[in-house]
Amino acid sequence: MTLYTFDKDVAGSGKSVCNGPCATNWPPVAATAVDVGLGDWTVITRDDGSKQWAHKGKPLYTWAKDAKPGDRTGDGFNNAWRVAKP
């Protein structure tokens, strides 16, 4: 599925500001407790203690309304969500 970043997340802060209902609509890309980052890929700890992947310091999400791989319906949503760029 397409991965997204959220403009309100501060790159490199190690935090996601998308929690609660936001995380229901924008599911965090989950990392396991044993996952470790490499290069531009890092693992952050969310407010609830779960782990999430980040790229270049920005937490990564999917969009609940994308129905199939390749959908990008969340790009530009509320002028705050962007397709993650490698």
Side-chain angles (χ1 to χ4, degrees), residues 28-86:
V29 177
T32 69
V34 297
D35 286 333
V36 293
L38 179 65
D40 289 338
W41 298 91
T42 55
V43 176
I44 64 167
T45 302
R46 297 181 50 76
D47 287 353
D48 65 4
S50 64
K51 303 290 184 182
Q52 179 179 2
W53 281 105
H55 184 255
K56 295 186 178 179
K58 293 285 280 190
L60 296 170
Y61 308 87
T62 58
W63 171 227
K65 294 187 179 180
D66 281 350
K68 63 187 180 314
D71 283 354
R72 302 170 30 142
T73 63
D75 194 26
F77 187 81
N78 279 348
N79 201 29
W81 292 91
R82 315 278 173 223
V83 170
K85 307 268 194 252

Side-chain angles (χ1 to χ4, degrees), residues 4-25:
Y4 297 90
T5 59
F6 186 34
D7 289 350
K8 294 182 181 180
D9 286 330
V10 177
S13 69
K15 290 286 185 186
S16 165
V17 298
C18 180
N19 295 291
C22 177
T24 299
N25 291 321

